[in-house]
Amino acid sequence: MKFVILACVAAVAVAAPQYSYGAPRAASSEEVEFVPILKDDRVHEEDGTYNFDFEAANGISFSQSGSPDGDEDAVIKAGEYSYTAPDGTEIHVRYVADENGFQPQGAHLPVAPEFPHPIPQFVLDQIAKAAEEDRNRSDESDEVSAPSRFYGRPN
C-alpha cells in the first residue's frame, strides 16, 4: 500500500506544470533572430468596434478595424497586412470581411478572366444542335404516354 501511495506522489511530482518560460528553441543550430515590435495598438470600444495596428522591425505589419454592423451583430472587418516573402517579393494585401465573405485584394493574387469571354464556335454549334433535337422531339410526340405496366425482356 505504501508503494502505491509513493508511486502516486512521484507521478504527481513529475506531472506538475513547469512555470519557467523560455523562448522556443530552434530545431537546428541556426541562431534565432530577435525581432522587436515597433507598434502594437489595440482599441476596443464598448459598442463592439475595434482597431488594431501592429508593426514589427522585420517589415511585417497588420492593421484591422471592425464593427458589429452586420446581420445579427456579425462583425464586419476591413484591414491590410504586408510582409516580405521568402523570395524577396513585397506582399501587400487589403481585405474586407463581411456578409459576402473574405475578399482580399493584392497585386500578387491571381485574377479570374473577364466574363463573358468569347465562346468557341464548336460550343455554339453544339448548343444549336441540342436545341434543334429538342424541337424535333417535341414535334414528334405532343402526347404524353403512360408508363408501361410491364417490363420487357432485354433483347
Side-chain angles (χ1 to χ4, degrees):
M1 183 66 172
K2 291 180 185 179
F3 177 74
V4 172
I5 294 172
L6 183 61
C8 289
V9 169
V12 169
V14 170
Q18 306 298 316
Y19 293 107
S20 64
Y21 177 77
R25 296 181 186 198
S28 66
S29 62
E30 291 181 24
E31 187 65 32
V32 177
E33 178 187 358
F34 174 74
V35 179
I37 295 174
L38 304 176
K39 179 168 63 168
D40 188 359
D41 296 331
R42 303 168 193 235
V43 178
H44 295 269
E45 302 293 338
E46 290 185 21
D47 63 352
T49 59
Y50 70 92
N51 291 314
F52 177 80
D53 289 318
F54 172 85
E55 185 177 350
N58 62 357
I60 296 174
S61 66
F62 177 70
S63 175
Q64 180 174 296
S65 62
S67 63
D69 294 335
D71 295 339
E72 299 179 13
D73 288 335
V75 177
I76 296 175
K77 301 176 182 184
E80 59 186 305
Y81 59 89
S82 61
Y83 62 94
T84 304
D87 65 356
T89 306
E90 290 291 325
I91 305 295
H92 186 82
V93 177
R94 291 179 186 263
Y95 64 89
V96 173
D98 57 12
E99 63 272 0
N100 297 320
F102 181 71
Q103 304 157 46
Q105 295 177 348
H108 67 288
L109 296 174
V111 178
E114 287 190 33
F115 196 84
H117 52 78
I119 299 175
Q121 185 59 43
F122 73 91
V123 173
L124 296 173
D125 294 341
Q126 190 66 30
I127 292 171
K129 181 180 178 186
E132 182 180 337
E133 288 175 353
D134 287 345
R135 277 193 307 275
N136 292 341
R137 189 174 310 134
S138 65
D139 290 344
E140 293 172 2
S141 60
D142 288 339
E143 183 179 304
V144 177
S145 62
S148 173
R149 294 183 185 204
F150 303 103
Y151 292 100
R153 190 183 321 172
N155 294 333

